[in-house]
Amino acid sequence: MKRTQEITIRELAESLGVSVATVSRAIHGRGRISPETRARVLEQMERMGYVPNLHAQSLARRHSTLIALEYLGQMEVLSDVFLIELGRAIQAALVKHGYRLLMNLVGDSHYRQSTLRQWINSRLISGVILIGNPDVSAEWLKPLMKAHIPTVLIAYHPPAEMPDTMRCVVLDVKTGWQEAIAHLTAEGHRQFAYIGSHPEDPALDYICEALRQHRGVLVPEGVLYANETPLGGYEATRRLLQHAQRPTAILARTDLLAMGVLLALQEAGLSVPHHISVVGHDDIPMAQWLIPPLSTIRIDYAILGEKAVESLVHLLQKEKSDTEPVQTVATRFVVRQSTTKITQQEA
């Protein structure tokens, strides 16, 4: 076996009796190539120890194949299940177009902004996907706009200023909350509590609007904010239960918060859903395996990732597209066993 740095793509192709173009298509997953041939090429790559020279490829194409993904939330990236699921969907969509994902997993906001500017100035990346929580601030957008870097935002609202190098995919959380409130009030619920993580999050406005439509109310002192973790949901629920007026349903802004809500209610001797119903948001994979399985508002990560990547690829390839600069992906309410009719609740 030759050393990795001595093996060229031409030698790899000759060892298989195929063209260099065939090897290239197998590596990038693009173009006309059968699954069998691609598998044979990738297997031979492993056997010979061939590693594509990404820098050389970028020089040959005059652009990088790396796309930066930046999350503007407060949690560590690998602690946020929402981001992990969305990042997986984005990467799967990028691979189809021959691009790779680059993420910065550590550092505060100032450090991450500095790192992103370095990636832009060094031309390490060709485009950026920014995930807002809930939106993307102007300080993040300015360097991208100045450098004319193709950028796609995933946020709750499009920015006031959006140049030709920018697109936005809006995550519509309003629809999911409307469906959840409509379902719960139809089941007899009238008194609610809300546990959120960011006061500026528009989710509470959507909830209040839906409650007014369906004659529901938030109980006194029934709005609490906590760190976006199970511990945060647990501690917020314990504070909530200290008040005399108990809600019949608790709305948690994320499934992680809802996990803590379930534990706090269990420790207080309250049965879910017979004493209190619980609703989460995001529909992370573990939500259906909780006890009881969590009713939650589902985000279709695959569609969200595909729309973001589709918009970015059009910008990168400077293609004319029929898609609008702003696209919307709606959330939907999923009923499981953590909610029930009010008439079934125990006194």
Side-chain angles (χ1 to χ4, degrees):
M1 181 181 293
K2 295 184 178 181
R3 291 180 301 171
T4 298
Q5 59 267 31
E6 294 179 349
I7 298 172
T8 67
I9 190 171
R10 186 172 298 279
E11 289 174 317
L12 177 61
E14 290 174 352
S15 73
L16 289 163
V18 299
S19 67
V20 171
T22 297
V23 174
S24 180
R25 286 194 292 269
I27 292 172
H28 300 295
R30 293 188 295 177
R32 297 181 61 181
I33 183 171
S34 70
E36 295 78 12
T37 300
R38 184 169 189 266
R40 192 161 63 92
V41 171
L42 296 180
E43 182 180 348
Q44 184 74 341
M45 283 175 58
E46 291 289 333
R47 185 180 298 113
M48 296 182 67
Y50 172 74
V51 179
N53 189 326
L54 300 182
H55 180 63
Q57 291 177 10
S58 297
L59 290 176
R61 297 174 180 175
R62 298 186 179 181
H63 74 274
S64 169
T65 59
L66 291 174
I67 301 299
L69 177 64
E70 182 59 70
Y71 176 55
L72 308 185
Q74 299 178 358
M75 290 184 66
E76 287 291 333
V77 170
L78 295 180
S79 299
D80 194 321
V81 184
F82 161 79
L83 179 62
I84 292 172
E85 292 301 311
L86 181 54
R88 181 182 289 117
I90 289 172
Q91 183 169 16
L94 284 173
V95 167
K96 296 177 184 178
H97 296 280
Y99 289 94
R100 296 172 173 83
L101 195 63
L102 182 63
M103 295 181 65
N104 182 13
L105 300 179
V106 297
D108 57 20
S109 179
H110 177 75
Y111 172 80
R112 297 205 309 271
Q113 286 185 56
S114 175
T115 301
L116 183 59
R117 284 195 295 269
Q118 292 175 26
W119 290 348
I120 293 169
N121 295 334
S122 64
R123 299 186 182 276
L124 178 65
I125 59 176
S126 282
V128 177
I129 297 176
L130 283 180
I131 304 174
N133 189 16
D135 293 311
V136 181
S137 65
E139 63 178 324
W140 279 94
L141 295 180
K142 285 179 180 177
L144 297 167
M145 295 167 65
K146 183 178 179 180
H148 304 288
I149 293 292
T151 303
V152 172
L153 316 176
I154 298 177
Y156 294 168
H157 306 96
E161 181 181 359
M162 199 164 64
D164 292 340
T165 55
M166 194 169 291
R167 296 289 184 270
C168 184
V169 179
V170 172
L171 179 59
D172 170 25
V173 299
K174 182 177 182 178
T175 299
W177 284 118
Q178 287 178 328
E179 290 181 354
I181 298 299
H183 174 80
L184 289 169
T185 52
E187 298 282 80
H189 293 271
R190 292 292 179 268
Q191 298 183 341
F192 296 80
Y194 171 75
I195 298 177
S197 55
H198 305 288
E200 69 275 14
D201 190 326
L204 181 58
D205 293 334
Y206 301 146
I207 289 169
C208 290
E209 179 183 337
L211 288 175
R212 287 192 295 270
Q213 293 175 357
H214 297 281
R215 294 183 296 176
V217 297
L218 290 167
V219 298
E221 299 185 68
V223 176
L224 301 94
Y225 292 98
N227 291 329
E228 199 173 329
T229 63
L231 177 60
Y234 172 82
E235 293 177 341
T237 304
R238 293 193 61 177
R239 296 198 304 271
L240 176 67
L241 294 177
Q242 293 174 1
H243 303 299
Q245 189 171 352
R246 199 173 71 197
T248 63
I250 297 176
L251 310 173
R253 183 58 185 84
T254 69
D255 291 343
L256 291 180
L257 286 169
M259 291 168 63
V261 173
L262 293 175
L263 179 59
L265 293 176
Q266 179 185 1
E267 288 187 354
L270 297 171
S271 172
V272 177
H274 297 292
H275 291 132
I276 297 181
S277 290
V278 177
V279 172
H281 194 291
D282 296 347
D283 196 21
I284 60 177
M286 66 186 72
Q288 62 182 312
W289 302 109
L290 297 175
I291 301 176
L294 184 65
S295 295
T296 185
I297 296 169
R298 173 176 294 165
I299 296 173
D300 194 321
Y301 299 101
I303 291 180
L304 192 59
E306 286 172 1
K307 284 188 177 293
V309 170
E310 177 187 84
S311 296
L312 185 61
V313 169
H314 283 306
L315 290 174
L316 290 167
Q317 298 179 357
K318 298 181 180 178
E319 297 178 345
K320 291 185 179 180
S321 173
D322 294 333
T323 59
E324 296 294 327
V326 178
Q327 299 187 71
T328 300
V329 176
T331 53
R332 305 305 301 264
F333 181 53
V334 179
V335 181
R336 296 195 180 105
Q337 284 74 53
S338 67
T339 53
T340 192
K341 291 183 179 180
I342 191 72
T343 55
Q344 296 177 0
Q345 294 183 335
E346 299 174 358

